[in-house]
Amino acid sequence: MKNTIVTKKDYLGRPTYSVEEKKEFLELWRESKLTKKEFCKEFGLNYKSFNNWPYQIASKKPKPITFQEVQMPKAKEPETPMLIEVLFPSGVQLKVPNETSAEWLSKLIRSC
């Protein structure tokens, strides 16, 4: 009786296995007392691929995370914009940019 395992397939229709699945297959093989060829035939695995799995698993070990300090140029201090200040008798203070049109400012003051 042939053992079958449902798995994902690549774009060519070949089965693909996660690192964990490969580890499980290798453990099953060690416990099976079968040769690699017999085990691969029993589970429908590619013999050459199966032989490479221990090396693939070893190369998938996570690499340590490293950090590198980056020197950033100092940002320019923003130039302080020139402001027009209007102080009303009520104590309300109005500050508008220097570029504000006189006509607009005049209408604003009249509306208060």
Side-chain angles (χ1 to χ4, degrees), residues 1-5 25 29 32 34-46:
M1 181 178 132
K2 188 174 184 177
N3 290 305
T4 57
I5 295 177
F25 272 120
W29 165 70
S32 73
L34 297 172
T35 67
K36 284 185 181 180
K37 281 190 178 185
E38 291 169 336
F39 184 83
C40 289
K41 187 174 183 180
E42 180 73 21
F43 283 90
L45 301 172
N46 182 292

Side-chain angles (χ1 to χ4, degrees), residues 63-70:
K63 296 177 182 170
I65 297 173
T66 59
F67 293 94
Q68 183 174 0
E69 187 176 348
V70 177

Side-chain angles (χ1 to χ4, degrees), residues 4-22:
T4 57
I5 295 177
V6 177
T7 188
K8 294 184 233 173
K9 303 213 182 263
D10 69 6
Y11 69 97
L12 293 175
R14 300 174 296 196
T16 61
Y17 304 98
S18 69
V19 171
E20 291 306 315
E21 290 171 321
K22 290 176 183 180

Side-chain angles (χ1 to χ4, degrees), residues 85-100:
E85 293 184 37
V86 179
L87 183 57
F88 292 93
S90 64
V92 173
Q93 188 177 17
L94 174 67
K95 294 181 181 182
V96 293
N98 195 30
E99 304 86 36
T100 304

